[in-house]
Amino acid sequence: AVHINDASVGTVEEQWDLRRALPLENGIIDVPHILNNLKRAGFCGNITIEALDPWREKFASMELKDVMKTLADSYNECIKDI
C-alpha cells in the first residue's frame, strides 16, 4: 500500500511529523510523479490519502459526503495525467 499526502509549507527543519496537507495542496511532494513511477514499475496495490492534521481536524467537523468528495477530488487531481 502507498500513503500519499503533501508536506506542510516551510523548511525541512520546520516539518512536523503528522502535520501534512492533502496531495498537491502545497506542491512540495510531487505525488503525480511518484504515482506515475509506481505505475510504470507495475504497482497495482492500494493508494490511500493519508489525511493528517490539519485536515483530520477539518474533517471531524464536516459531513461525511463532503469529506469523501474532498478526498476524491484530491485523488482524481493526482491521477488525471497518469
Side-chain angles (χ1 to χ4, degrees), residues 33-51:
H33 178 76
I34 294 166
L35 296 179
N36 198 27
N37 284 340
L38 288 169
K39 179 181 178 183
R40 284 196 323 242
F43 177 79
C44 60
N46 294 322
I47 298 171
T48 302
I49 293 178
E50 191 170 33

Side-chain angles (χ1 to χ4, degrees), residues 55-64 66-67:
W55 277 97
R56 185 172 39 191
E57 296 166 10
K58 293 177 187 178
F59 287 156
S61 64
M62 293 171 65
E63 294 287 328
L64 179 58
D66 296 326
V67 171

Side-chain angles (χ1 to χ4, degrees), residues 6-9 20-29:
D6 200 353
S8 302
V9 175
R20 296 283 184 233
L22 293 183
L24 303 179
E25 187 174 353
N26 296 321
I28 296 171
I29 298 174

Side-chain angles (χ1 to χ4, degrees), residues 59 62-74:
F59 287 156
M62 293 171 65
E63 294 287 328
L64 179 58
K65 64 180 176 57
D66 296 326
V67 171
M68 296 306 294
K69 181 177 183 335
T70 301
L71 293 172
D73 289 348
S74 178

